[in-house]
């Protein structure tokens, strides 16, 4: 449904159908910058008095009216009938709203020196700029850790993590860098909720986790771009700020503690027409694999023989057993889901 100014005005007046109301509220959750305009239309264009009495005769302030609307939008957002994919903030940039744009660089510099690699922040900044990992607004989340990779560290990037995962990594001596919304470190949970609904979830800062004390419900974080002195925050406050990055962390270590942590794609629905795309991707993936093997001297054999370079799957895709096809199909469907999870979509050209 196209969301026009006329439809927003009708929504503010209360003159919309149920489907239009749901569409507008979904639109407002995805475009929080438009919410203020809707509130202004409610106040001025349609003479809704923000100091009117509620049904119990109590005076309602502007903040109360705003809270009511935010509650309704949040309820609709969590409704299964209007729920959408939780997009991962792949392109968000750490440091776009902080002191400078170097917080992720300085976190990595701290991590590298802590793990015994002598390097200056100035050297890292220059290298990041040359490789386009550092943008004028900051470091994209997916680029965090690349400087450490080049220096031989083990690097793991993970979304959807928990405080317990942070605790385990810190106890193992690993360096944990977390992406957060810095503004929410100074806000109450209620203020953080309003901030997210009005401005969207905007991770803008990178911090190093120093320690976590579950008994005191405190977490100590270091902000190398601001101070060398760690600060303590209630875990609940940190959690609100960290949620804005879909709980993204980068784990750095000089020893292998690899634990696979694939993205959770369960909330991504696939339209029926994309199932054909799945089969095309699966078949082509097999063709790429088979061509690579053939170029390396492999050929068909009933039994796999690495010495003779024989493989039973050196066959056309349609002749593969279903068990092998499922491997390629799973890869294809997860690729489609991942693209959607990261905020892109598929558009079919009409021919």
């Amino acid at each position: 449904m196209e969301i026009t100014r006329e439809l927003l005005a009708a929504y503010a007046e209360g003159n919309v159908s149920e489907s239009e109301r749901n569409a507008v509220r979904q639109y407002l959750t995805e475009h929080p910058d438009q919410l203020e305009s809707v509130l202004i239309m409610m106040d001025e264009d349609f003479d809704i008095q923000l100091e009117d009495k509620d049904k119990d005769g109590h005076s309602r302030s502007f903040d109360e009216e705003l809270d009511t609307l935010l509650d309704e939008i949040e309820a609709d957002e969590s409704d299964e009938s209007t729920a959408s994919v939780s997009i991962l903030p792949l392109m968000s940039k750490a440091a776009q709203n902080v002191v400078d744009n170097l917080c992720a660089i300085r976190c990595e510099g701290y991590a590298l020196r802590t793990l015994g690699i002598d390097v200056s922040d100035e050297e890292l900044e220059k290298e990041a700029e040359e490789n386009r990992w550092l943008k004028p607004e900051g470091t994209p989340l997916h680029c965090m850790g690349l400087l450490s990779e080049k220096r031989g560290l083990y690097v793991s990037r993970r979304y959807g993590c928990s405080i317990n995962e942070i605790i385990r990594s810190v106890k193992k001596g690993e360096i944990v860098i977390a992406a957060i919304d810095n503004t929410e470190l100074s806000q109450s949970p209620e203020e953080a909720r309003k901030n997210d609904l009005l401005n969207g979830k905007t991770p803008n800062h990178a911090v190093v986790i120093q320690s976590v004390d579950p008994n005191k419900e405190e977490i100590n974080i270091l902000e190398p771009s601001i101070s060398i002195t760690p600060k303590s925050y209630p875990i609940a406050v940190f959690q609100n700020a960290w949620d804005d990055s879909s709980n993204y962390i980068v784990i750095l270590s000089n020893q292998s503690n690899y634990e696979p942590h694939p993205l959770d794609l369960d909330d991504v629905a696939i339209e029926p027409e994309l199932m054909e795309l799945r089969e095309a991707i699966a078949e082509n993936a097999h063709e790429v694999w088979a061509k690579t093997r053939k170029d390396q001297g492999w050929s068909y054999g009933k039994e796999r023989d690495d010495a003779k370079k024989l493989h039973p799957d050196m066959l056309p895709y349609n002749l593969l057993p279903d068990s092998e096809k499922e491997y390629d199909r799973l890869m294809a469907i997860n690729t489609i889901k991942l693209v959607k999870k990261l905020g892109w979509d598929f558009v079919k050209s009409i021919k």
Side-chain angles (χ1 to χ4, degrees), residues 103-123:
C103 65
I105 304 297
R106 290 176 176 162
C107 283
E108 279 201 68
Y110 168 85
L112 286 162
R113 291 186 290 273
T114 300
L115 295 173
I117 299 175
D118 186 19
V119 64
S120 69
D121 287 343
E122 291 73 22
E123 179 183 343

Side-chain angles (χ1 to χ4, degrees), residues 24-305:
V24 169
R25 288 185 170 177
Q26 181 64 28
Y27 174 82
L28 291 175
T29 64
E30 297 169 354
H31 300 81
D33 55 304
Q34 297 293 316
L35 181 57
E36 184 177 355
S37 298
V38 174
L39 289 170
I40 291 173
M41 285 190 286
M42 285 180 167
D43 182 24
E44 296 179 358
D45 294 348
F46 302 107
D47 199 27
I48 293 180
Q49 299 298 317
L50 296 181
E51 293 296 339
D52 274 352
K53 306 290 183 178
D54 62 16
K55 64 180 181 180
D56 296 319
H58 300 122
S59 177
R60 294 175 61 81
S61 67
F62 177 84
D63 284 343
E64 288 174 324
E65 291 286 347
L66 178 59
D67 286 345
T68 298
L69 184 57
L70 292 177
D71 285 341
E72 292 175 352
I73 292 174
E74 190 174 39
D76 275 353
E77 187 179 29
S78 62
D79 190 321
E80 290 185 2
S81 63
T82 59
S84 60
V85 177
S86 176
I87 303 298
L88 296 179
L90 181 76
M91 304 306 292
S92 292
K93 296 176 180 64
Q96 65 185 50
N97 293 318
V98 197
V99 176
D100 55 31
N101 68 342
L102 300 176
C103 65
I105 304 297
R106 290 176 176 162
C107 283
E108 279 201 68
Y110 168 85
L112 286 162
R113 291 186 290 273
T114 300
L115 295 173
I117 299 175
D118 186 19
V119 64
S120 69
D121 287 343
E122 291 73 22
E123 179 183 343
L124 295 176
E125 180 183 352
K126 181 180 179 182
E127 185 178 325
E129 287 177 340
E130 290 174 349
N131 286 279
R132 295 187 160 184
W133 300 334
L134 176 62
K135 313 291 185 182
E137 305 87 356
T139 302
L141 300 194
H142 67 280
C143 291
M144 292 169 59
L146 294 178
L147 292 163
S148 299
E149 287 180 9
K150 288 194 67 175
R151 287 160 177 80
L153 292 187
Y154 292 91
V155 178
S156 177
R157 299 175 189 82
R158 302 180 182 180
Y159 287 96
C161 296
S162 67
I163 291 293
N164 286 335
E165 288 177 271
I166 290 179
I167 293 173
R168 286 195 295 270
S169 290
V170 171
K171 282 184 177 179
K172 288 190 291 188
E174 299 170 336
I175 305 296
V176 179
I177 301 175
I180 63 171
D181 180 347
N182 187 58
T183 60
E184 294 185 9
L185 289 179
S186 59
Q187 295 179 333
S188 68
E190 180 61 24
E191 289 172 330
R193 182 183 74 90
K194 288 183 183 179
N195 181 57
D196 288 341
L197 288 170
L198 286 170
N199 303 312
K201 293 191 173 185
T202 54
N204 55 28
H205 194 38
V207 299
V208 176
I209 309 300
Q210 290 265 285
S211 62
V212 184
D213 188 336
N215 295 324
K216 293 183 179 180
E217 297 186 352
E218 289 183 346
I219 187 167
N220 291 313
I221 65 175
L222 180 67
E223 300 175 85
S225 62
I226 298 175
S227 171
I228 59 172
T229 304
K231 290 184 180 180
S232 178
Y233 294 92
I235 289 178
V237 170
F238 170 80
Q239 183 77 54
N240 280 327
W242 186 36
D243 286 347
D244 281 24
S245 70
S246 296
N247 308 114
Y248 181 71
I249 60 175
V250 180
I251 301 174
L252 310 176
S253 176
N254 51 18
Q255 56 184 334
S256 177
N257 294 310
Y258 176 61
E259 295 179 11
H261 196 280
L263 295 175
D264 182 3
L265 304 174
D266 288 345
D267 63 333
V268 184
I270 300 298
E271 298 87 339
E273 55 268 25
L274 289 182
M275 297 308 288
E276 294 181 15
L277 180 60
R278 177 202 69 169
E279 199 66 9
I281 292 175
E283 182 171 354
N284 191 65
H286 172 70
E287 294 297 312
V288 171
W289 172 86
K291 184 179 186 304
T292 301
R293 289 285 189 170
K294 185 174 182 179
D295 291 345
Q296 294 170 346
W298 287 72
S299 59
Y300 173 77
K302 288 186 177 181
E303 300 292 336
R304 176 167 177 165
D305 188 324

